[in-house]
Amino acid sequence: MDLRAALHQGTDLLAGSTTPEPRLTAEVLLCHALKRERVFLYSHPEHELSTVEWIHYGRYLYERMQGKPTQYITRTQEWYGRNFRVTPAVLIPRPETEHVVEIALEVARGARTVLDIGTGSGALAVTLALELGARAVATDVSLEALRVAQWNADALGGRVDFVCCDLASGVSGFFDLIVSNPPYIPEREIATLQREVRDFEPHVALLGGETGTELYGRIISQAQGLLRPGGWLIFEIGYQGEAAVRQGLSDGPWSRVETGYDLAGLPRVLRARYAP
Ligand code: GLN
């Protein structure tokens, strides 16, 4: 079978199983099977698939049709201009989370020390370490996630130390910036999530207790012992979480509490300055 036919068949199979963007997905999976860039598909449409390439492609198509996210098949996600390794042990980094980096670069450009609480793939910690030229510490409760994050830090070159602990319970020292994209989906909403998310992404990275905002309160109180005066706390929040997280900040020594919105116009990033 040549590439043109393989693409055609893959696209039809994916479309038949109502996979979104069937053509693009078939291209990405075929490239992964061939270990080639996308341009190869168009410059060599007559290339005959070897048996091994054909078997791999077939398996990837099957996995995708079962709902496995493409990124878990290719093991990679481009995020803030860099390729991050992802496995089912970590949440696939979302474009919305890039807003956390944007806000950090806006308000905390001078930060030399950064703490990322619940780092997952390490996307925030590694990106901030590189963009700010800072030293980062990143935590996760999942050792498997930290292995992925460490892999990314090694591959991309950020100066990041990892600590396996619940939120920031195992961290000491003082930081100029603390970021976190904690799990924030209310438990009762699990059934309403897309099957790709619900059945394949780690629930420990998604579910934030009954209301979805349980972890923010704990992070806010831990941050007060870990931020230098004048340092920033920047959260990603769920679209229903803004009021509760703001409430959690209202009793403490926080100033300049501001919400940032994502491209869909939803509250997405909440920042606050530690002003004891
Ligand atoms: N944004 C993710 C989702 O909607 C959730 C991320 C999180 O819980 N921190 O699937």
PDB file of all heavy atoms in Angstrom, residues 194-220:
ATOM      1  N   GLN A 194     -15.189  14.546  27.968  1.00  0.00           N
ATOM      2  CA  GLN A 194     -14.915  13.828  26.714  1.00  0.00           C
ATOM      3  C   GLN A 194     -14.279  12.484  27.045  1.00  0.00           C
ATOM      4  O   GLN A 194     -13.468  12.416  27.973  1.00  0.00           O
ATOM      5  CB  GLN A 194     -13.806  14.592  26.006  1.00  0.00           C
ATOM      6  CG  GLN A 194     -14.147  15.372  24.816  1.00  0.00           C
ATOM      7  CD  GLN A 194     -12.828  15.979  24.318  1.00  0.00           C
ATOM      8  OE1 GLN A 194     -12.246  16.819  25.011  1.00  0.00           O
ATOM      9  NE2 GLN A 194     -12.364  15.558  23.163  1.00  0.00           N
ATOM     10  N   ARG A 195     -14.554  11.467  26.247  1.00  0.00           N
ATOM     11  CA  ARG A 195     -14.014  10.141  26.575  1.00  0.00           C
ATOM     12  C   ARG A 195     -12.485  10.133  26.542  1.00  0.00           C
ATOM     13  O   ARG A 195     -11.836   9.451  27.337  1.00  0.00           O
ATOM     14  CB  ARG A 195     -14.651   9.115  25.642  1.00  0.00           C
ATOM     15  CG  ARG A 195     -13.731   8.335  24.754  1.00  0.00           C
ATOM     16  CD  ARG A 195     -14.503   7.397  23.876  1.00  0.00           C
ATOM     17  NE  ARG A 195     -14.092   7.670  22.510  1.00  0.00           N
ATOM     18  CZ  ARG A 195     -14.018   6.753  21.563  1.00  0.00           C
ATOM     19  NH1 ARG A 195     -14.393   5.526  21.793  1.00  0.00           N
ATOM     20  NH2 ARG A 195     -13.606   7.063  20.360  1.00  0.00           N
ATOM     21  N   GLU A 196     -11.877  10.922  25.661  1.00  0.00           N
ATOM     22  CA  GLU A 196     -10.407  10.997  25.600  1.00  0.00           C
ATOM     23  C   GLU A 196      -9.833  11.412  26.946  1.00  0.00           C
ATOM     24  O   GLU A 196      -8.787  10.941  27.370  1.00  0.00           O
ATOM     25  CB  GLU A 196      -9.959  12.028  24.548  1.00  0.00           C
ATOM     26  CG  GLU A 196      -9.963  11.541  23.124  1.00  0.00           C
ATOM     27  CD  GLU A 196     -11.342  11.511  22.493  1.00  0.00           C
ATOM     28  OE1 GLU A 196     -12.340  11.847  23.186  1.00  0.00           O
ATOM     29  OE2 GLU A 196     -11.448  11.136  21.304  1.00  0.00           O
ATOM     30  N   VAL A 197     -10.510  12.365  27.602  1.00  0.00           N
ATOM     31  CA  VAL A 197     -10.046  12.869  28.888  1.00  0.00           C
ATOM     32  C   VAL A 197     -10.423  11.878  29.987  1.00  0.00           C
ATOM     33  O   VAL A 197      -9.580  11.410  30.761  1.00  0.00           O
ATOM     34  CB  VAL A 197     -10.665  14.264  29.180  1.00  0.00           C
ATOM     35  CG1 VAL A 197     -10.194  14.790  30.525  1.00  0.00           C
ATOM     36  CG2 VAL A 197     -10.345  15.236  28.057  1.00  0.00           C
ATOM     37  N   ARG A 198     -11.694  11.525  30.036  1.00  0.00           N
ATOM     38  CA  ARG A 198     -12.243  10.693  31.121  1.00  0.00           C
ATOM     39  C   ARG A 198     -11.573   9.322  31.202  1.00  0.00           C
ATOM     40  O   ARG A 198     -11.223   8.844  32.267  1.00  0.00           O
ATOM     41  CB  ARG A 198     -13.749  10.520  30.882  1.00  0.00           C
ATOM     42  CG  ARG A 198     -14.482   9.770  31.970  1.00  0.00           C
ATOM     43  CD  ARG A 198     -15.889   9.451  31.510  1.00  0.00           C
ATOM     44  NE  ARG A 198     -15.867   8.576  30.340  1.00  0.00           N
ATOM     45  CZ  ARG A 198     -16.665   8.688  29.283  1.00  0.00           C
ATOM     46  NH1 ARG A 198     -17.559   9.643  29.219  1.00  0.00           N
ATOM     47  NH2 ARG A 198     -16.577   7.849  28.269  1.00  0.00           N
ATOM     48  N   ASP A 199     -11.388   8.705  30.047  1.00  0.00           N
ATOM     49  CA  ASP A 199     -10.916   7.319  30.068  1.00  0.00           C
ATOM     50  C   ASP A 199      -9.404   7.181  29.922  1.00  0.00           C
ATOM     51  O   ASP A 199      -8.877   6.089  30.085  1.00  0.00           O
ATOM     52  CB  ASP A 199     -11.587   6.514  28.944  1.00  0.00           C
ATOM     53  CG  ASP A 199     -13.084   6.398  29.152  1.00  0.00           C
ATOM     54  OD1 ASP A 199     -13.555   6.717  30.264  1.00  0.00           O
ATOM     55  OD2 ASP A 199     -13.792   6.011  28.203  1.00  0.00           O
ATOM     56  N   PHE A 200      -8.707   8.261  29.589  1.00  0.00           N
ATOM     57  CA  PHE A 200      -7.278   8.106  29.294  1.00  0.00           C
ATOM     58  C   PHE A 200      -6.357   9.015  30.103  1.00  0.00           C
ATOM     59  O   PHE A 200      -5.201   8.696  30.297  1.00  0.00           O
ATOM     60  CB  PHE A 200      -7.021   8.306  27.796  1.00  0.00           C
ATOM     61  CG  PHE A 200      -7.598   7.200  26.969  1.00  0.00           C
ATOM     62  CD1 PHE A 200      -8.896   7.270  26.495  1.00  0.00           C
ATOM     63  CD2 PHE A 200      -6.861   6.050  26.719  1.00  0.00           C
ATOM     64  CE1 PHE A 200      -9.452   6.222  25.758  1.00  0.00           C
ATOM     65  CE2 PHE A 200      -7.405   4.996  25.988  1.00  0.00           C
ATOM     66  CZ  PHE A 200      -8.705   5.088  25.506  1.00  0.00           C
ATOM     67  N   GLU A 201      -6.850  10.168  30.552  1.00  0.00           N
ATOM     68  CA  GLU A 201      -5.937  11.060  31.285  1.00  0.00           C
ATOM     69  C   GLU A 201      -6.006  10.733  32.790  1.00  0.00           C
ATOM     70  O   GLU A 201      -7.016  10.222  33.282  1.00  0.00           O
ATOM     71  CB  GLU A 201      -6.295  12.528  31.008  1.00  0.00           C
ATOM     72  CG  GLU A 201      -6.183  12.840  29.520  1.00  0.00           C
ATOM     73  CD  GLU A 201      -5.856  14.288  29.211  1.00  0.00           C
ATOM     74  OE1 GLU A 201      -4.702  14.709  29.489  1.00  0.00           O
ATOM     75  OE2 GLU A 201      -6.728  14.993  28.715  1.00  0.00           O
ATOM     76  N   PRO A 202      -4.920  10.982  33.526  1.00  0.00           N
ATOM     77  CA  PRO A 202      -4.888  10.560  34.930  1.00  0.00           C
ATOM     78  C   PRO A 202      -5.888  11.348  35.787  1.00  0.00           C
ATOM     79  O   PRO A 202      -5.833  12.584  35.817  1.00  0.00           O
ATOM     80  CB  PRO A 202      -3.446  10.861  35.351  1.00  0.00           C
ATOM     81  CG  PRO A 202      -2.909  11.811  34.337  1.00  0.00           C
ATOM     82  CD  PRO A 202      -3.681  11.642  33.086  1.00  0.00           C
ATOM     83  N   HIS A 203      -6.755  10.629  36.473  1.00  0.00           N
ATOM     84  CA  HIS A 203      -7.762  11.310  37.292  1.00  0.00           C
ATOM     85  C   HIS A 203      -7.128  12.109  38.419  1.00  0.00           C
ATOM     86  O   HIS A 203      -7.660  13.138  38.833  1.00  0.00           O
ATOM     87  CB  HIS A 203      -8.769  10.296  37.826  1.00  0.00           C
ATOM     88  CG  HIS A 203      -9.705   9.807  36.766  1.00  0.00           C
ATOM     89  ND1 HIS A 203     -10.826   9.073  37.030  1.00  0.00           N
ATOM     90  CD2 HIS A 203      -9.679   9.964  35.426  1.00  0.00           C
ATOM     91  CE1 HIS A 203     -11.458   8.800  35.898  1.00  0.00           C
ATOM     92  NE2 HIS A 203     -10.764   9.317  34.904  1.00  0.00           N
ATOM     93  N   VAL A 204      -5.969  11.645  38.874  1.00  0.00           N
ATOM     94  CA  VAL A 204      -5.300  12.378  39.954  1.00  0.00           C
ATOM     95  C   VAL A 204      -4.900  13.791  39.498  1.00  0.00           C
ATOM     96  O   VAL A 204      -4.761  14.702  40.313  1.00  0.00           O
ATOM     97  CB  VAL A 204      -4.071  11.581  40.482  1.00  0.00           C
ATOM     98  CG1 VAL A 204      -2.977  11.472  39.427  1.00  0.00           C
ATOM     99  CG2 VAL A 204      -3.500  12.181  41.759  1.00  0.00           C
ATOM    100  N   ALA A 205      -4.761  13.979  38.195  1.00  0.00           N
ATOM    101  CA  ALA A 205      -4.395  15.298  37.663  1.00  0.00           C
ATOM    102  C   ALA A 205      -5.621  16.131  37.296  1.00  0.00           C
ATOM    103  O   ALA A 205      -5.500  17.312  36.987  1.00  0.00           O
ATOM    104  CB  ALA A 205      -3.519  15.135  36.422  1.00  0.00           C
ATOM    105  N   LEU A 206      -6.789  15.505  37.326  1.00  0.00           N
ATOM    106  CA  LEU A 206      -7.998  16.195  36.851  1.00  0.00           C
ATOM    107  C   LEU A 206      -8.961  16.576  37.969  1.00  0.00           C
ATOM    108  O   LEU A 206      -9.520  17.672  37.967  1.00  0.00           O
ATOM    109  CB  LEU A 206      -8.766  15.277  35.888  1.00  0.00           C
ATOM    110  CG  LEU A 206      -8.157  15.037  34.515  1.00  0.00           C
ATOM    111  CD1 LEU A 206      -8.906  13.897  33.821  1.00  0.00           C
ATOM    112  CD2 LEU A 206      -8.253  16.298  33.666  1.00  0.00           C
ATOM    113  N   LEU A 207      -9.185  15.636  38.904  1.00  0.00           N
ATOM    114  CA  LEU A 207     -10.298  15.796  39.835  1.00  0.00           C
ATOM    115  C   LEU A 207      -9.883  16.518  41.101  1.00  0.00           C
ATOM    116  O   LEU A 207      -8.987  16.076  41.825  1.00  0.00           O
ATOM    117  CB  LEU A 207     -10.896  14.430  40.171  1.00  0.00           C
ATOM    118  CG  LEU A 207     -11.435  13.674  38.947  1.00  0.00           C
ATOM    119  CD1 LEU A 207     -11.973  12.327  39.354  1.00  0.00           C
ATOM    120  CD2 LEU A 207     -12.506  14.500  38.236  1.00  0.00           C
ATOM    121  N   GLY A 208     -10.547  17.644  41.342  1.00  0.00           N
ATOM    122  CA  GLY A 208     -10.189  18.490  42.485  1.00  0.00           C
ATOM    123  C   GLY A 208     -11.227  18.426  43.585  1.00  0.00           C
ATOM    124  O   GLY A 208     -11.680  19.451  44.075  1.00  0.00           O
ATOM    125  N   GLY A 209     -11.640  17.226  43.952  1.00  0.00           N
ATOM    126  CA  GLY A 209     -12.590  17.082  45.063  1.00  0.00           C
ATOM    127  C   GLY A 209     -14.016  17.382  44.642  1.00  0.00           C
ATOM    128  O   GLY A 209     -14.319  17.552  43.459  1.00  0.00           O
ATOM    129  N   GLU A 210     -14.869  17.497  45.650  1.00  0.00           N
ATOM    130  CA  GLU A 210     -16.302  17.640  45.374  1.00  0.00           C
ATOM    131  C   GLU A 210     -16.624  18.914  44.582  1.00  0.00           C
ATOM    132  O   GLU A 210     -17.382  18.895  43.632  1.00  0.00           O
ATOM    133  CB  GLU A 210     -17.028  17.674  46.713  1.00  0.00           C
ATOM    134  CG  GLU A 210     -18.365  16.986  46.685  1.00  0.00           C
ATOM    135  CD  GLU A 210     -18.892  16.862  48.099  1.00  0.00           C
ATOM    136  OE1 GLU A 210     -18.285  16.115  48.896  1.00  0.00           O
ATOM    137  OE2 GLU A 210     -19.877  17.560  48.384  1.00  0.00           O
ATOM    138  N   THR A 211     -16.023  20.022  44.989  1.00  0.00           N
ATOM    139  CA  THR A 211     -16.331  21.291  44.322  1.00  0.00           C
ATOM    140  C   THR A 211     -15.340  21.600  43.200  1.00  0.00           C
ATOM    141  O   THR A 211     -15.585  22.480  42.384  1.00  0.00           O
ATOM    142  CB  THR A 211     -16.228  22.465  45.308  1.00  0.00           C
ATOM    143  OG1 THR A 211     -14.864  22.499  45.780  1.00  0.00           O
ATOM    144  CG2 THR A 211     -17.166  22.293  46.481  1.00  0.00           C
ATOM    145  N   GLY A 212     -14.211  20.933  43.189  1.00  0.00           N
ATOM    146  CA  GLY A 212     -13.186  21.233  42.196  1.00  0.00           C
ATOM    147  C   GLY A 212     -12.214  22.298  42.673  1.00  0.00           C
ATOM    148  O   GLY A 212     -11.226  22.588  42.008  1.00  0.00           O
ATOM    149  N   THR A 213     -12.501  22.916  43.819  1.00  0.00           N
ATOM    150  CA  THR A 213     -11.593  23.982  44.274  1.00  0.00           C
ATOM    151  C   THR A 213     -10.915  23.639  45.603  1.00  0.00           C
ATOM    152  O   THR A 213     -10.237  24.492  46.180  1.00  0.00           O
ATOM    153  CB  THR A 213     -12.341  25.334  44.422  1.00  0.00           C
ATOM    154  OG1 THR A 213     -13.501  25.124  45.225  1.00  0.00           O
ATOM    155  CG2 THR A 213     -12.750  25.879  43.073  1.00  0.00           C
ATOM    156  N   GLU A 214     -11.086  22.408  46.047  1.00  0.00           N
ATOM    157  CA  GLU A 214     -10.525  22.008  47.346  1.00  0.00           C
ATOM    158  C   GLU A 214      -9.018  22.254  47.471  1.00  0.00           C
ATOM    159  O   GLU A 214      -8.536  22.654  48.517  1.00  0.00           O
ATOM    160  CB  GLU A 214     -10.779  20.500  47.598  1.00  0.00           C
ATOM    161  CG  GLU A 214     -12.029  20.227  48.395  1.00  0.00           C
ATOM    162  CD  GLU A 214     -13.248  20.046  47.505  1.00  0.00           C
ATOM    163  OE1 GLU A 214     -13.245  20.637  46.382  1.00  0.00           O
ATOM    164  OE2 GLU A 214     -14.186  19.350  47.895  1.00  0.00           O
ATOM    165  N   LEU A 215      -8.276  22.002  46.406  1.00  0.00           N
ATOM    166  CA  LEU A 215      -6.817  22.069  46.547  1.00  0.00           C
ATOM    167  C   LEU A 215      -6.284  23.498  46.603  1.00  0.00           C
ATOM    168  O   LEU A 215      -5.204  23.740  47.148  1.00  0.00           O
ATOM    169  CB  LEU A 215      -6.141  21.319  45.394  1.00  0.00           C
ATOM    170  CG  LEU A 215      -6.446  19.816  45.369  1.00  0.00           C
ATOM    171  CD1 LEU A 215      -5.820  19.161  44.159  1.00  0.00           C
ATOM    172  CD2 LEU A 215      -5.954  19.149  46.636  1.00  0.00           C
ATOM    173  N   TYR A 216      -7.040  24.450  46.067  1.00  0.00           N
ATOM    174  CA  TYR A 216      -6.531  25.829  46.026  1.00  0.00           C
ATOM    175  C   TYR A 216      -6.296  26.390  47.426  1.00  0.00           C
ATOM    176  O   TYR A 216      -5.302  27.074  47.666  1.00  0.00           O
ATOM    177  CB  TYR A 216      -7.485  26.734  45.241  1.00  0.00           C
ATOM    178  CG  TYR A 216      -7.511  26.418  43.765  1.00  0.00           C
ATOM    179  CD1 TYR A 216      -8.410  25.496  43.244  1.00  0.00           C
ATOM    180  CD2 TYR A 216      -6.631  27.043  42.887  1.00  0.00           C
ATOM    181  CE1 TYR A 216      -8.431  25.203  41.892  1.00  0.00           C
ATOM    182  CE2 TYR A 216      -6.644  26.759  41.535  1.00  0.00           C
ATOM    183  CZ  TYR A 216      -7.547  25.832  41.040  1.00  0.00           C
ATOM    184  OH  TYR A 216      -7.570  25.533  39.703  1.00  0.00           O
ATOM    185  N   GLY A 217      -7.224  26.106  48.336  1.00  0.00           N
ATOM    186  CA  GLY A 217      -7.089  26.618  49.702  1.00  0.00           C
ATOM    187  C   GLY A 217      -5.795  26.138  50.338  1.00  0.00           C
ATOM    188  O   GLY A 217      -5.070  26.913  50.975  1.00  0.00           O
ATOM    189  N   ARG A 218      -5.503  24.867  50.132  1.00  0.00           N
ATOM    190  CA  ARG A 218      -4.266  24.321  50.714  1.00  0.00           C
ATOM    191  C   ARG A 218      -3.040  24.940  50.056  1.00  0.00           C
ATOM    192  O   ARG A 218      -2.043  25.241  50.719  1.00  0.00           O
ATOM    193  CB  ARG A 218      -4.247  22.799  50.561  1.00  0.00           C
ATOM    194  CG  ARG A 218      -5.310  22.141  51.463  1.00  0.00           C
ATOM    195  CD  ARG A 218      -5.326  20.643  51.302  1.00  0.00           C
ATOM    196  NE  ARG A 218      -4.005  20.071  51.424  1.00  0.00           N
ATOM    197  CZ  ARG A 218      -3.591  18.979  50.760  1.00  0.00           C
ATOM    198  NH1 ARG A 218      -4.400  18.358  49.929  1.00  0.00           N
ATOM    199  NH2 ARG A 218      -2.386  18.527  50.938  1.00  0.00           N
ATOM    200  N   ILE A 219      -3.099  25.130  48.753  1.00  0.00           N
ATOM    201  CA  ILE A 219      -1.942  25.737  48.064  1.00  0.00           C
ATOM    202  C   ILE A 219      -1.741  27.184  48.543  1.00  0.00           C
ATOM    203  O   ILE A 219      -0.619  27.617  48.802  1.00  0.00           O
ATOM    204  CB  ILE A 219      -2.128  25.693  46.524  1.00  0.00           C
ATOM    205  CG1 ILE A 219      -2.145  24.233  46.061  1.00  0.00           C
ATOM    206  CG2 ILE A 219      -1.022  26.478  45.824  1.00  0.00           C
ATOM    207  CD1 ILE A 219      -2.483  24.057  44.590  1.00  0.00           C
ATOM    208  N   ILE A 220      -2.855  27.911  48.701  1.00  0.00           N
ATOM    209  CA  ILE A 220      -2.749  29.311  49.144  1.00  0.00           C
ATOM    210  C   ILE A 220      -2.089  29.377  50.514  1.00  0.00           C
ATOM    211  O   ILE A 220      -1.200  30.208  50.747  1.00  0.00           O
ATOM    212  CB  ILE A 220      -4.148  29.984  49.150  1.00  0.00           C
ATOM    213  CG1 ILE A 220      -4.634  30.172  47.706  1.00  0.00           C
ATOM    214  CG2 ILE A 220      -4.110  31.326  49.900  1.00  0.00           C
ATOM    215  CD1 ILE A 220      -6.114  30.517  47.588  1.00  0.00           C
TER     216      ILE A 220
END
